[in-house]
Amino acid sequence: MAEVTAEPKQQPDKELNPDLQGSSEEQATTDQHRNFGTFGGVFTPTLLTILGVIMYLRTGWVMGNAGIFGGLVIILLAFAIAAVTGLSMSSITTNIRIGAGGAYAIICQSLGLEVGGAVGIPRYLSQALAVTMYIFGFREGWLYIFPGHSAILVDVITLIALFGIAYVSADLAIKTEYVIMAIIAGSLISVLLAAVNGSMTQPLTSLKWWGPFAGSPANDFSGTDFWKVFAVFFPAATGIMAGANMSGDLEDPRRAIPLGTMWAIGVSLVVYLLLAYWLARSATTEELTSNYYVMMDKAYWSPIVNAGLLGACFSSALASIVGAARILQAMGNHGIVPASGWLEKLTKKGEPRNAMLVTGGIVLVSVMLRDLNALAPLITLFFLITYLMLNVVLFVEQSLGLVSFRPLLRIPRWVSFAGTVGCLIIMFIVNPTFSLISIAVTAACYLWLVRIHLDAPFEDVRSGLFVSIAEWAATLVQEDLPAAQERAWKPNLLVPISDAKKLRGTFTIIEHLTAPNGSIKIVGLPADGQGVGETARNMPGADVRGTAGEALTRANGTFRGELHELMHAFRERGVFASWTTIQADSFADGLIAGMQALRGAFFKPNVVFLNLSAPESREAEYRRIVDEAENEELGTVLYAGHPDSGLGRRQRINVWIHDRSPDWDLTMDIGNLNLPLLTAYKLQQNWNAKMRLIMVVENPDDREKALGFLRELKDAARMPHAKVIVEADAPFGEYVREAPRADVNVFGLLRDPNFDFIRRMMEETGSTCLFVRDSGRESALA
């Protein structure tokens, strides 16, 4: 009876997961200062970011160009994308314990640090550059009131004020936003009073319902179209992440982010729709398209509207700089950016001041550049990529059907799919060129992060994604595709060992038989007594500490540890390897049980690798194994390593082919030649060696026929550089000693192996020999 122990998979304790709950000192500090609720931590910054400069300076222009119906369609479409993304984000946050970093943390916990970092790095930079754009918007509003002031001085003072508030604490930033919210509310009340007092003088019958898309003063009213107007308005809907960026500072992010975000989207949508209708009824089309400050001019008390514009720009900048610093700190905590150890540090109150210093420096440099208009579309597109990935994350998790996906807020899968497609389409509507650039930048970040081998402190769903793809592929192959897959063959070795130390002598040949695309399944057979039993007897204290069973248990643990090390050694060399152990009464029983157990597996081994260095007493077991391998349609490679020459210089390989007379016709059925040829070819490729095809014929008259057969064989097998040798003057037993020397000689293997012949060939060739038997499932001619 056999007992199988699979390779253990490390399962991080979710109770200690730093991004799911908190494990570092810095994270613990953050947990102690999670003091923001739904209103202050999420709703307020999100609402103020959405009700920004677009509302004050571009809503009228949108209505004047698109008409009342077209303008409302633009607003609804933009907010539909925002709402779908908000729902996706909300659903995900109710399924995980989100750490610091907002969308970055969400994407990392689903698709891994590499994908999260690839989105997070450009997202952070765009968030930082957005601060500069808001500062410039603040300056324009300020100069509208005080045209004589120095523009650069206004920018610098604004930045100092922003940085000072954000550097002191997020709490001060939130309190400042409360004041700004009151000012913005006052500006909207001024609009309401204007409407009540008869500002809506344009009758419905005179309104343009669609168009005329006249353009703007910047292009001398030379015309525009629906999608260009939409692209101008859409940045208003890119503020929905402002609250989520505060995820590390929220008391209950699982509750606060969904409620705060969706309420902010809903309230801001109502504000935009009502404001758009008021503007369309209060000003002519010409006024709307030519005067960006029409809202101030038509309001009941314009100073409060001017103050609202300044407050909106300031609050958006404040939310962006606070959020950007937290994204950078979260990436530093995972080693994604340079100087991560310094950037991840938090103050005792949980403030990321080092990350804030870097963010402030980036904003200062960009302010000094004076003009970021060319980069404005790129900033919007990086926000859109983040929204796109949030929808992708939810769609992937919904599609995998994993038990771990149990969100408290469930939404239909079509919602996340629609959000994914919508974001992708909107990206190319906003700016096709910058869309390609933003995708290229994100891809470059991903490739760089893959190369530095990040160590994630949490699990993600990538393994589930790949398993689902593999299951789909396996079902397709097994049910819908032909059973014969000779062209898809690659070496997947089943390597039985009872003593891990003995595998070291065959490590190189196993690696070179499988690299680069094959795989290795190591089967530990400790019950044989040669490996674990011997280890147990030799363990210190085995005779004085505990029983023999306890010593054997400790030895089993040591044996499994050695198998694990071997697996990693192969993986470090680029060959996928895994291991398992089987407890059985004998070596053959254990291996045969393994072969039978793997019969129904999709990714199953196709070649059994046996080492002749085992004791002669195992020959009978090897015969059973070769016979059972034939029944299980597995090939066999019997390795007879020469004790002195080993693998030699790895420059020459001889493949010995038996006499084919009287049948010299080459067909697809070439007998037991497929796996020997493929084995030699793998070694030739990995060693950059030369190959010979050698045949000894009994009848000298068959020399030319044999040469023709071998030449046709090497051509059909696409091995044009193999040298063909036919010997007709000496019998095989004599010629094998005189044949050209090789580092490895490859022979066929009988179903009932002759071990005396095998040992004699190793001695007479003076080299390591491989004795190979086909499985019937491979083809050298395919």
Side-chain angles (χ1 to χ4, degrees):
M1 185 172 181
E3 177 184 345
V4 180
T5 303
E7 168 194 345
K9 184 178 180 181
Q10 300 298 322
Q11 297 284 352
D13 188 348
K14 290 189 177 181
E15 294 301 320
L16 300 178
N17 189 317
D19 258 285
L20 301 183
Q21 185 168 11
S23 64
S24 65
E25 293 181 6
E26 291 83 356
Q27 189 67 31
T29 301
T30 302
D31 291 341
Q32 295 171 4
H33 295 278
R34 288 175 177 253
N35 52 5
F36 296 119
T38 302
F39 185 79
V42 181
F43 177 80
T44 299
T46 304
L47 181 68
L48 293 183
T49 305
I50 297 175
L51 300 182
V53 65
I54 297 293
M55 182 183 76
Y56 285 97
L57 299 182
R58 291 296 182 271
T59 304
W61 180 85
V62 168
M63 298 305 293
N65 272 282
I68 188 169
F69 179 74
L72 294 179
V73 168
I74 287 174
I75 294 172
L76 289 172
L77 182 58
F79 273 88
I81 298 296
V84 167
T85 304
L87 285 171
S88 295
M89 179 178 66
S90 299
S91 181
I92 299 167
T93 54
T94 63
N95 187 62
I96 62 175
R97 296 181 182 178
I98 183 173
Y104 160 77
I106 294 172
I107 297 170
C108 282
Q109 289 188 44
S110 183
L111 300 181
L113 284 180
E114 293 82 4
V115 178
V119 176
I121 292 172
R123 159 88 172 145
Y124 162 73
L125 292 174
S126 62
Q127 188 94 34
L129 293 177
V131 177
T132 305
M133 302 298 293
Y134 290 129
I135 290 174
F136 289 169
F138 181 91
R139 177 233 299 163
E140 292 300 319
W142 187 271
L143 294 180
Y144 176 77
I145 304 171
F146 305 104
H149 289 183
S150 168
I152 183 65
L153 190 60
V154 173
D155 290 342
V156 172
I157 292 175
T158 305
L159 174 58
I160 292 172
L162 286 168
F163 181 80
I165 294 170
Y167 188 81
V168 170
S169 71
D171 186 55
L172 178 59
I174 296 297
K175 291 176 180 177
T176 304
E177 288 179 341
Y178 288 153
V179 176
I180 295 173
M181 178 180 281
I183 295 173
I184 292 177
S187 70
L188 295 176
I189 292 173
S190 178
V191 169
L192 177 62
L193 291 174
V196 170
N197 284 276
S199 68
M200 295 190 293
T201 58
Q202 303 295 318
L204 284 173
T205 54
S206 68
L207 299 180
K208 290 187 178 294
W209 291 89
W210 187 267
F213 299 106
S216 66
N219 69 358
D220 199 24
F221 298 101
S222 58
T224 184
D225 58 44
F226 177 87
W227 292 113
K228 289 180 180 178
V229 176
F230 176 84
V232 170
F233 179 80
F234 186 77
T238 61
I240 65 171
M241 295 301 304
N245 291 337
M246 300 293 294
S247 57
D249 298 273
L250 300 174
E251 291 178 354
D252 185 4
R254 181 179 290 179
R255 180 177 182 274
I257 291 176
L259 284 177
T261 301
M262 298 313 298
W263 269 106
I265 292 173
V267 171
S268 57
L269 173 60
V270 171
V271 170
Y272 269 101
L273 291 175
L274 294 176
L275 183 63
Y277 179 77
W278 173 75
L279 285 167
R281 292 289 308 277
S282 299
T284 65
T285 299
E286 291 72 20
E287 288 178 304
L288 292 172
T289 55
S290 61
N291 182 10
Y292 291 145
Y293 297 93
V294 66
M295 181 175 171
M296 289 75 161
D297 294 341
K298 299 296 180 178
Y300 184 79
W301 188 44
S302 61
I304 190 64
V305 179
N306 292 333
L309 169 62
L310 296 177
C313 293
F314 193 88
S315 66
S316 297
L318 189 58
S320 296
I321 195 170
V322 170
R326 279 152 176 77
I327 295 173
L328 181 60
Q329 186 275 331
M331 292 193 294
N333 193 37
H334 296 142
I336 286 178
V337 290
S340 290
W342 182 73
L343 288 171
E344 70 173 339
K345 292 181 179 179
L346 299 170
T347 67
K348 292 181 179 181
K349 293 185 177 181
E351 296 296 328
R353 287 186 175 167
N354 291 346
M356 186 64 70
L357 287 171
V358 173
T359 304
I362 292 174
V363 176
L364 178 60
V365 171
S366 59
V367 165
M368 292 299 108
L369 294 177
R370 307 307 301 144
D371 185 9
L372 293 183
N373 288 335
L375 293 180
L378 191 60
I379 295 171
T380 299
L381 291 167
F382 282 135
F383 277 87
L384 271 171
I385 285 179
T386 304
Y387 297 174
L388 171 70
M389 292 308 301
L390 286 172
N391 286 292
V392 167
V393 164
L394 181 61
F395 183 76
V396 167
E397 297 228 28
Q398 289 174 319
S399 301
L400 291 179
L402 300 177
V403 177
S404 62
F405 184 67
R406 304 187 301 276
L408 302 179
L409 174 63
R410 291 187 176 272
I411 61 174
R413 189 165 59 170
W414 67 263
V415 174
S416 56
F417 179 77
T420 301
V421 175
C423 288
L424 195 59
I425 293 173
I426 297 304
M427 283 178 63
F428 285 91
I429 288 174
V430 170
N431 193 307
T433 302
F434 275 116
S435 292
L436 294 175
I437 292 174
S438 61
I439 292 172
V441 170
T442 304
C445 291
Y446 174 78
L447 294 175
W448 172 64
L449 292 173
V450 168
R451 292 187 62 184
I452 64 177
H453 302 292
L454 297 170
D455 185 17
F458 47 77
E459 289 188 320
D460 52 62
V461 301
R462 285 179 296 178
S463 59
L465 174 62
F466 295 138
V467 167
S468 294
I469 294 173
E471 288 174 345
W472 170 80
T475 302
L476 182 66
V477 169
Q478 293 178 344
E479 294 183 357
D480 300 330
L481 297 180
Q485 294 291 323
E486 289 89 352
R487 294 196 65 180
W489 184 90
K490 58 184 178 180
N492 299 310
L493 267 59
L494 181 66
V495 183
I497 60 172
S498 57
D499 186 350
K501 298 181 180 64
K502 292 183 179 179
L503 184 61
R504 295 171 185 169
T506 56
F507 184 94
T508 300
I509 190 73
I510 292 173
E511 175 196 350
H512 293 158
L513 286 174
T514 52
N517 297 317
S519 67
I520 300 166
K521 181 71 173 182
I522 303 170
V523 179
L525 301 166
D528 177 66
Q530 299 297 325
V532 170
E534 181 180 349
T535 303
R537 289 190 293 273
N538 294 330
M539 284 184 66
D543 56 339
V544 296
R545 250 189 306 158
T547 65
E550 291 173 342
L552 187 59
T553 299
R554 293 195 302 273
N556 272 325
T558 302
F559 183 56
R560 293 188 177 107
E562 292 173 340
L563 297 182
H564 197 73
E565 290 178 4
L566 284 170
M567 177 196 73
H568 279 293
F570 281 117
R571 290 186 179 183
E572 287 173 357
R573 293 175 176 267
V575 179
F576 178 78
S578 59
W579 68 268
T580 188
T581 61
I582 300 178
Q583 298 283 352
D585 295 333
S586 70
F587 183 90
D589 287 343
L591 182 56
I592 290 172
M595 289 190 289
Q596 293 172 344
L598 290 168
R599 180 190 305 157
F602 179 70
F603 298 105
K604 60 184 178 182
N606 51 26
V607 178
V608 179
F609 182 91
L610 301 174
N611 189 352
L612 191 64
S613 66
E616 291 187 15
S617 61
R618 193 173 283 170
E619 290 180 4
E621 293 191 280
Y622 275 13
R623 288 189 176 92
R624 286 182 58 200
I625 292 168
V626 174
D627 184 68
E628 185 61 29
E630 184 98 359
N631 295 334
E632 298 293 335
E633 295 186 320
L634 295 174
T636 303
V637 173
L638 180 60
Y639 173 81
H642 195 279
D644 298 325
S645 60
L647 296 178
R649 295 182 296 172
R650 306 178 197 172
Q651 294 182 352
R652 297 283 190 275
I653 303 166
N654 287 346
V655 181
W656 293 81
I657 301 174
H658 67 85
D659 189 344
R660 305 281 296 192
S661 61
D663 184 9
W664 296 102
D665 292 331
L666 180 66
T667 65
M668 291 299 292
D669 183 10
I670 57 176
N672 187 38
L673 275 181
N674 292 293
L675 191 55
L677 285 172
L678 293 172
T679 298
Y681 176 76
K682 289 294 296 182
L683 294 178
Q684 178 197 29
Q685 292 297 106
N686 285 317
W687 291 353
N688 194 25
K690 297 185 182 299
M691 185 194 305
R692 304 186 188 99
L693 304 181
I694 304 176
M695 180 183 290
V696 178
V697 294
E698 296 180 1
N699 187 349
D701 294 338
D702 289 334
R703 181 193 296 271
E704 292 304 319
K705 295 178 182 178
L707 283 171
F709 174 83
L710 292 182
R711 288 167 182 157
E712 189 177 358
L713 175 64
K714 77 167 189 173
D715 289 341
R718 283 97 66 202
M719 300 176 183
H721 302 297
K723 184 178 180 181
V724 171
I725 298 176
V726 174
E727 173 58 37
D729 298 328
F732 174 82
E734 293 181 10
Y735 182 71
V736 75
R737 293 189 293 270
E738 301 170 0
R741 299 290 93 181
D743 300 299
V744 170
N745 283 271
V746 181
F747 298 90
L749 178 68
L750 298 175
R751 185 164 186 169
D752 184 12
N754 183 336
F755 288 97
D756 291 335
F757 172 79
I758 290 171
R759 290 189 173 87
R760 189 170 71 251
M761 288 301 99
M762 180 178 63
E763 293 172 1
E764 293 184 355
T765 61
S767 70
T768 290
C769 298
L770 298 178
F771 295 85
V772 186
R773 184 164 186 80
D774 282 7
S775 70
R777 306 288 291 179
E778 64 280 295
S779 174
L781 307 184

